[in-house]
């Protein structure tokens, strides 16, 4: 059996993690695992998990490592993860990165792709971001789907995320600096980190990711 291709995508909110992870997963037949999407779906569905985490997400803080570690462990048992996964928004802390090594076992993380974006651009991008509540497709506030409020992919409601407000964005940037920046060193010291410039078009970032993927993980 060939090793599973497990990829981690890191980046500040608004760097394009979700869009690029979705593309990567489709292109290489991997499971797209977004912990943020899983948590938002639980909130939307009003499950006990959703009720537990709603205020944490609204404030821009992180939910506990134990909670997300279990979610990811369960998610990776699903059949679409048989060939590997693209982890989007996980791990976010060193504790989660350690847990991920346990969860993945011998296959491990093949590459960690850091999509880099300066803080100044994060605010501009996030205040214009709209997202489908059903399927997670993202739009700009000037797109027809955002103006009409209806997703072009699934017909779901297109809204502004409650944590894409300035106070929550600041909290999330702080959480990134405090909890996630140390992960860059964690993966760098293992020779697994590549950084891609996020201040380019979606297509350009996509091409840059494919180039590093082929050079480092698919050889
Ligand atoms: P995201 O969609 O990745 O920006 O995540 C949205 C929110 O979900 C975050 O601000 C956190 O509150 C929560 N969240 C998502 N992933 C994680 C994680 N790996 N660890 C802790 N909290 C998370």
């Amino acid at each position: 059996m060939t090793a599973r291709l497990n990829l981690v995508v890191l980046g500040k909110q608004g760097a394009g993690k979700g869009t690029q992870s979705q593309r990567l997963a489709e292109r290489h037949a991997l499971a797209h695992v977004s912990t943020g999407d899983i948590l938002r779906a639980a909130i939307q569905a009003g499950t006990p998990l959703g009720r537990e985490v709603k205020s944490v997400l609204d404030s821009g803080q992180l939910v506990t490592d134990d909670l997300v570690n279990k979610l990811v462990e369960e998610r990776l048992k699903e059949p679409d993860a048989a060939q590997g996964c693209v982890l989007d928004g996980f791990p976010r802390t060193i504790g989660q990165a350690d847990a991920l090594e346990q969860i993945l076992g011998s296959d491990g993380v093949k590459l960690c792709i850091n999509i880099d974006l300066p803080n100044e651009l994060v605010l501009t991008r996030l205040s214009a971001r709209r997202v489908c509540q059903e399927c997670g497709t993202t739009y700009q506030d000037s797109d027809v789907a955002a103006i009409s409020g209806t997703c072009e992919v699934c017909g779901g409601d297109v809204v502004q995320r409650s944590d894409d407000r300035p106070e929550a964005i600041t909290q999330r940037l702080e959480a990134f600096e405090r909890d996630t920046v140390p992960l860059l060193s964690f993966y760098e010291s293992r020779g697994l980190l590549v950084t891609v410039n996020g201040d380019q078009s979606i297509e350009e970032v996509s091409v840059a990711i494919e180039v590093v993927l082929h050079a480092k993980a698919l050889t």
Side-chain angles (χ1 to χ4, degrees), residues 13 17 35-37 39-40 56-57 60-63 68 89-92 96 161 163 172:
Q13 43 281 15
K17 262 185 304 146
T35 41
D37 283 353
L39 295 168
R40 277 186 293 278
V56 182
L57 264 79
Q61 311 278 356
L62 295 183
V63 304
V68 274
F90 180 93
R92 279 255 221 315
Q96 293 176 19
R161 275 172 51 169
D163 57 356
R172 290 159 73 204

Side-chain angles (χ1 to χ4, degrees), residues 33-106:
V33 178
S34 159
T35 41
D37 283 353
I38 295 172
L39 295 168
R40 277 186 293 278
I43 292 173
Q44 170 83 353
T47 65
L49 169 68
R51 287 197 294 277
E52 184 183 340
V53 299
K54 183 173 185 333
S55 62
V56 182
L57 264 79
D58 282 349
S59 72
Q61 311 278 356
L62 295 183
V63 304
T64 64
D65 284 358
D66 269 0
L67 194 150
V68 274
N69 292 344
K70 287 201 189 90
L71 280 182
V72 170
E73 186 168 13
E74 287 310 307
R75 175 66 184 86
L76 291 181
K77 289 179 185 160
E78 288 180 30
D80 65 339
Q83 296 185 60
C85 59
V86 181
L87 293 164
D88 164 8
F90 180 93
R92 279 255 221 315
T93 65
I94 296 285
Q96 293 176 19
D98 286 334
L100 181 61
E101 294 202 331
Q102 302 292 318
I103 295 169
L104 293 178
S106 58

